[in-house]
Amino acid sequence: MTSIAIVGAGPQLGLAIARTFGSQGLDVALISRNRSKLGDLVGTLTAEGITAAAFPADVLDRDALTQALKDAATQFGGIDVLEYSPLGTFGSVVLTTPAESDPSDVQHEIEFQLYGAMAATKAVLPAMREAGTGTLLYTTGAGSLDPLPVVGNVNAAAAALRNWAVNLHKELDGTGIQAAHVGIDVSIGTAIIPGRPVIQPEDISPVYWELHTTRRDQAELVFKG
């Protein structure tokens, strides 16, 4: 298997990760719900000599997500690396504090972050087990470790994904498959979170390659810039 599937691929971190792995010879499967934006990313990568293809799917539609990953595996002869980092549309995600949150406020985020990650993992893990190798990487903001009240519902789901990913790392110990959580404690590209440094995505993406290659015993990496 010689490909990476990036779920939640976008023009910032997703593109940077695609470039990092693509420059090392891996084919790139890009998955998100916006077909036209995926086409733009494929065009950019292709122009840079990286083999890439788009597989549109919404992570909330777990059947569609599973099929997209199966289609990617068929086209590229398997998936060696899964990177999961979907991001809700800025301005459209309802944010609630812990005291304000109803179960439904957290449930939507759980569906988006944790359940989507579980579905994606189930789509690729059997082939990785058969091969005895593979990498599973799950990205959240730093609120999964140090939550902020203003994004209480989002942070609760991110913490659930972090817990699940670290536990998956423990379960897969000794199988040849690496699972790890990446916590991003910076603003990517532009200032969004007051007090946190702004880092360009191409300065972050190399840590994903390190987890895939030289830090395979590490269950978590928190990027602080």
Side-chain angles (χ1 to χ4, degrees):
M1 294 184 286
T2 57
S3 70
I4 179 172
I6 301 172
V7 179
Q12 292 283 339
L13 185 58
L15 179 58
I17 293 171
R19 283 172 166 153
T20 294
F21 282 78
S23 67
Q24 296 293 332
L26 275 74
D27 297 331
V28 179
L30 301 172
I31 299 172
S32 77
R33 58 189 171 186
N34 192 311
R35 184 182 297 272
S36 62
K37 289 183 179 179
L38 284 181
D40 292 340
L41 296 179
V42 169
T44 296
L45 293 168
T46 300
E48 296 173 5
I50 295 171
T51 300
F55 301 89
D58 189 331
V59 299
L60 292 174
D61 185 341
R62 291 192 279 280
D63 288 340
L65 176 58
T66 298
Q67 189 61 52
L69 286 162
K70 288 182 177 179
D71 291 345
T74 297
Q75 179 162 333
F76 291 132
I79 294 173
D80 187 53
V81 184
L82 171 72
E83 193 279 320
Y84 187 87
S85 56
L87 181 66
T89 304
F90 186 72
S92 68
V93 177
V94 176
L95 303 177
T96 58
T97 69
E100 294 172 335
S101 293
D102 290 322
S104 60
D105 297 317
V106 178
Q107 180 63 34
H108 177 270
E109 292 303 317
I110 288 286
E111 294 273 355
F112 189 73
Q113 297 193 58
L114 177 60
Y115 295 168
M118 293 171 70
T121 302
K122 284 183 177 294
V124 302
L125 184 55
M128 290 182 178
R129 285 189 183 276
E130 185 175 350
T133 186
T135 301
L136 304 161
L137 304 174
Y138 308 91
T139 304
T140 72
S144 61
L145 297 100
D146 183 16
L148 297 173
V150 69
V151 284
N153 59 326
V154 174
N155 286 172
L161 175 55
R162 172 185 178 259
N163 179 284
W164 180 82
V166 171
N167 210 13
L168 180 63
H169 175 91
K170 295 177 181 179
E171 180 184 2
L172 295 175
D173 183 42
T175 67
I177 303 167
Q178 158 72 327
H181 166 251
V182 181
I184 306 296
D185 194 15
V186 298
S187 293
I188 302 175
T190 58
I192 297 176
I193 305 172
R196 286 194 174 139
V198 177
I199 303 295
Q200 297 307 308
E202 57 268 23
D203 295 322
I204 304 173
S205 59
V207 305
Y208 290 81
W209 182 253
E210 291 172 11
L211 286 166
H212 173 56
T213 55
T214 61
R215 298 191 183 188
R216 295 189 62 81
D217 61 343
Q218 195 164 336
E220 181 170 65
L221 189 152
V222 180
F223 187 91
K224 296 179 175 289

